[in-house]
Amino acid sequence: MRFVVIGISDKANPWFPPEVLNIISHGRVFSGGRRHHDIVAPLLPHGAAWIDITVPLDAVFEQYRRGAGREIIVFASGDPLFFGFANTIRREMPEAEMVLYPSFNSLQLLAHRLLMPYHDMRIVSLTGRPWPELDRALIERAPKIGILTDREHTPSAIARRLIDYGYTSYTMHVGEHLGNPAAERVTTQPLGAAATSQFHTPNCVILTVSPVLLPLSRLCSGGAAAPGSPAATLPLRPFGIADSSFALLDGREKMITKMPIRLLTLQALDLPRRTVLWDIGACTGSVSIEARLLFPHLHVVAFEIRPECEAIITANCRRHGAPGIDVHIGDFLSLPLPAAHPDAVFIGGHGGRLKEIMARVLTVLPSGGVIVMNSVKAPRVTTDSRQLWDDACRELGLHQEPPLHIQLNEHHPITILKCKK
């Protein structure tokens, strides 16, 4: 089976090279979105069949397969390999032959309108996808981010998320109906203005930190800095967050894992090689936040039994620019386990039920996954957490690694404990 995939824009009267026009004139079966059909209908041969690309896509590919042996000409937006339908065809029908005639994708068009080089642009798609890739780009301080949007992840919603988490050094450029001369609109706004603006779909976004040279007609009031003005910069993030910068539970300083211990704990979790971290007994969220900022590829899930900690964790996430931490409030032993199963687990609090917590973790922890806990040697502590740990590891068949003993200033000695499944 053979697919010819032709990229188009929203332009009402698209221009195609003679080779593509010849392919269209001899075609018999065509496919694309309904918007694409409206654009190319005048070019289709008399009696041509059209297959609408609509969800569910399984039904669309079933129609394709019924035409096995034929050529299907597919119209797709922009570059069909840029988060586009050509990738879907390759995934669903890898044996099919494919020929591509790409057009510019929407982010390229927006960069062209802005006269903005885009070879250094970080690309994020939020079309039918959640926030994590944008969150990661922000945490990693990408200075130029191109974003594909949808009706939920709108430019306004994106601007509000950046403001909520303190990423206010960015300027937002929005392209609406790119390629359609009758409806195209390109604007540049500060985040505060974009957060309350309405934008027509389809649209896409480019976020920039340093000012770019823009045609004066593109600048909105209060928009990007004038050419030649000092470039804005993203503030540098320290290695290790100061304890004093966290909102605390009832002002209790002892309820936070101190920064040097926190960093050693993250080292024990071996996070560069992990994908999902569970922080059980998160309290203020300090371990989750430090892990999220140092290792932005991680999916971080925080569990905390005290309801009042939810607002504290949320406030600390926003204060430190750590979006995307998945917070679950309630008793870990009773909560439904999230679909994101961990390969690294930190137990910051256990309420004397350490073995039960570890046993439940083991139901989803893969082979090679690690569990880390800090044991405090304090004279008034009645429950010996080190003994609970040793007993749990022995009974659950976990391999313990050599512990790390450390004392920070006048605080009680701490032992960082680690085991592996």
Side-chain angles (χ1 to χ4, degrees):
M1 191 166 188
R2 186 173 190 263
F3 288 91
V4 178
V5 187
I6 302 171
I8 63 174
S9 70
D10 277 353
K11 190 173 182 180
N13 299 301
W15 179 88
F16 294 114
E19 180 183 358
V20 173
L21 288 174
N22 183 59
I23 292 171
I24 294 173
S25 67
H26 289 88
R28 292 293 177 265
V29 181
F30 297 84
S31 187
R34 290 170 184 169
R35 186 174 88 256
H36 301 141
H37 181 267
D38 292 341
I39 293 171
V40 302
L43 301 175
L44 302 183
H46 178 71
W50 181 272
I51 300 172
D52 272 329
I53 298 176
T54 57
V55 292
L57 289 179
D58 289 346
V60 176
F61 280 93
E62 180 58 33
Q63 292 184 72
Y64 290 169
R65 291 185 178 92
R66 287 203 296 267
R70 295 185 300 178
E71 179 178 88
I72 298 178
I73 300 172
V74 178
F75 294 96
S77 296
D79 181 350
L81 286 176
F82 184 77
F83 298 97
F85 195 66
N87 298 319
T88 307
I89 295 174
R90 294 182 69 189
R91 183 181 68 246
E92 297 294 328
M93 303 180 71
E95 74 288 349
E97 180 186 353
M98 186 185 302
V99 178
L100 287 175
Y101 294 91
S103 180
F104 289 117
N105 66 60
S106 59
L107 288 172
Q108 287 176 310
L109 288 174
L110 179 54
H112 293 165
R113 303 296 188 265
L114 297 167
L115 302 181
M116 179 190 294
Y118 58 87
H119 59 275
D120 56 346
M121 184 161 61
R122 176 83 167 263
I123 306 298
V124 170
S125 176
L126 295 178
T127 305
R129 295 172 169 87
W131 294 106
E133 282 306 308
L134 175 59
D135 294 342
R136 179 174 180 177
L138 296 173
I139 293 170
E140 292 178 348
R141 296 301 204 254
K144 186 185 297 180
I145 308 173
I147 307 172
L148 300 176
T149 64
D150 62 16
R151 293 185 183 276
E152 177 183 353
H153 304 91
T154 64
S156 300
I158 293 167
R160 289 193 293 271
R161 189 170 186 84
L162 267 65
I163 292 170
D164 284 346
Y165 289 95
Y167 291 95
T168 54
S169 297
Y170 285 98
T171 295
M172 177 173 282
H173 314 274
V174 182
E176 304 165 69
H177 291 291
L178 293 170
N180 183 343
E184 180 177 295
R185 180 171 176 259
V186 176
T187 55
T188 295
Q189 303 182 32
L191 294 179
T196 57
S197 297
Q198 297 293 321
F199 299 94
H200 296 101
T201 55
N203 58 59
C204 63
V205 167
I206 296 178
L207 300 172
T208 57
V209 175
S210 298
V212 293
L213 297 177
L214 299 174
L216 290 178
S217 60
R218 300 299 189 200
L219 290 175
C220 297
S221 175
S229 63
T233 57
L234 289 168
L236 295 176
R237 178 177 285 123
F239 180 74
I241 304 171
D243 300 334
S244 59
S245 69
F246 286 97
L248 302 175
L249 175 64
D250 298 328
R252 295 155 65 187
E253 295 181 3
K254 293 183 179 181
M255 296 300 290
I256 185 173
T257 303
K258 298 297 184 290
M259 187 255 285
I261 306 300
R262 201 158 59 235
L263 295 177
L264 287 171
T265 299
L266 299 185
Q267 180 276 331
L269 287 161
D270 192 21
L271 296 181
R273 298 194 302 145
R274 307 295 170 178
T275 57
V276 179
L277 168 67
W278 281 7
D279 178 8
I280 301 173
C283 193
T284 63
S286 64
V287 171
S288 290
I289 291 167
E290 193 87 71
R292 183 77 175 119
L293 297 180
L294 289 177
F295 307 98
H297 71 280
L298 278 177
H299 181 167
V300 180
V301 184
F303 299 89
E304 173 54 47
I305 195 169
R306 289 164 288 208
E308 61 270 29
C309 284
E310 183 172 17
I312 295 171
I313 295 172
T314 299
N316 282 327
C317 286
R318 292 183 174 180
R319 181 180 296 184
H320 296 98
I325 294 176
D326 186 11
V327 180
H328 295 256
I329 300 298
D331 186 346
F332 175 78
L333 293 176
S334 304
L335 286 170
L337 295 182
H341 291 168
D343 48 7
V345 176
F346 173 63
I347 301 177
H350 54 80
R353 300 178 298 170
L354 180 60
K355 186 176 74 171
E356 293 85 349
I357 291 173
M358 293 174 71
R360 193 171 195 214
V361 165
L362 290 179
T363 63
V364 292
L365 190 74
S367 177
V370 297
I371 304 174
V372 170
M373 186 185 79
N374 296 334
S375 174
V376 182
K377 186 70 172 178
R380 295 185 181 180
V381 174
T382 57
T383 303
D384 189 338
S385 58
R386 176 63 189 273
Q387 188 61 52
L388 291 175
W389 171 270
D390 289 341
D391 292 344
C393 288
R394 183 180 64 257
E395 294 177 28
L396 297 172
L398 295 167
H399 170 73
Q400 291 198 62
E401 297 196 359
L404 174 63
H405 304 283
I406 187 169
Q407 182 168 0
L408 182 64
N409 298 330
E410 72 282 2
H411 298 287
H412 298 300
I414 290 175
T415 302
I416 299 178
L417 304 166
K418 178 178 179 179
C419 66
K420 184 176 292 187
K421 183 177 179 181

